[in-house]
Amino acid sequence: MIRAAVLPAVGAPLEVTGIELPELGPGRVRIRLAAAGVCHSDLSLSDGTMRVPVPAVLGHEGAGTVVAVGEGVTHVAPGDGVVLNWAPSCGACHPCALGEVWLCVNALNGAADVHARAADGRELHPGLNVAAFAEETVVAANCVLPAPEGVPLTDAALLGCAVLTGWGAVHHSARVRAGETVAVFGVGGVGLATLQAARIAGAATIVAVDVSPEKEALARAAGATEYVVASETTAREIRKLTGGHGVDVAVECVGRAVTIRTAWESTRRGGRTTVVGIGGKDQQVSFNALEIFHWGRTLAGCVYGNSNPAVDLPVIAGHIRDGSFDLGALVTERITLEGIPGAFDAMLAGKGGRALVVF
């Protein structure tokens, strides 16, 4: 038996309890977790914004050490450090054939599998495929990527979601160019990664926006040159900071209709807005036909940073090793499994960056 954080039902409190993992089958890998990040997507799963089968072991951003591998697994071996990939591409569907692996239609098929059993016999599902809120997990081989050399596993956990998402939003979706101006809405784990990515891309002015004045120091340490406390005048303030034009690029990391609309209004004529935040179906964003024509702006969704983890992780790792990307700067709290509900509460209150479960 191992300890894990289990979501018994949508809207129910997490239970830290013993679970039993299955015997290792072909094409499977057993991993001892070093750390797991607490992402807003985990909160979205727990409150029903995103739907997965329950009861489930949550957690999708993690890294650890391979304990054992099943038949046919050759790219990792016992003792290897690995990063979990919660959205593995199948390589065969239409998006994968187009090279858009982040849109793989089969990526989350594993969430319906039976992952483990609770002590009382309940069948448990693996949340977003990898069930990282546990001391150990068993995943499909394509959910495992070799951890970059020279990056501590506790830090490498952040690569599995926050960093790939923020990096990809800047470099793949928005395609920020050197000298451009950027606004990042939401200074949580993904927002902090986005700010660092924008700095590395060579953005000239980087405006961080958040509801909390207390996050200014975090944002500036990550690369923000300006800080705006969110209000009804946010778009106007950003235009003032950019010569009256608005920023070239806005990245929305919150997932709320009002924030998406404000991010769009904060860009210049012809500007680009990338939406990373995951909002509910009730979050309706409205535009009129004339303003769409007049402003010539682009609004785009962004899934997992539009990233290919196998390609992007080595690139990001290079920036970590040369000191230009600081993984530790994303983490504002290190907790145990029992601390996850408190981390959810902090997210809802708009406090802190990334909480990291350390095993």
Side-chain angles (χ1 to χ4, degrees), residues 187-188 210-215 227 343-353:
V187 185
D210 198 276
V211 296
S212 172
E214 288 76 23
K215 290 188 179 182
Y227 192 82
F344 283 173
D345 291 341
M347 282 184 198
L348 289 171
K351 296 179 179 178

Side-chain angles (χ1 to χ4, degrees), residues 86-182:
W86 63 270
S89 58
C90 71
C93 68
H94 184 62
C96 285
L98 294 174
E100 299 173 350
V101 297
W102 55 91
L103 298 179
C104 176
V105 299
N106 299 310
L108 294 180
N109 286 356
D113 294 345
V114 175
H115 170 71
R117 289 186 182 275
D120 60 8
R122 285 176 298 166
E123 293 183 338
L124 306 175
H125 300 283
L128 292 179
N129 282 327
V130 297
F133 286 167
E135 293 169 330
E136 294 188 12
T137 189
V138 172
V139 301
N142 63 352
C143 288
V144 174
L145 295 165
E149 291 184 10
V151 180
L153 285 178
T154 49
D155 292 342
L158 301 168
L159 295 171
C161 184
V163 175
L164 274 172
T165 300
W167 176 269
V170 168
H171 291 272
H172 300 316
S173 180
R175 298 180 182 179
V176 175
R177 299 180 290 264
E180 289 193 310
T181 53
V182 177

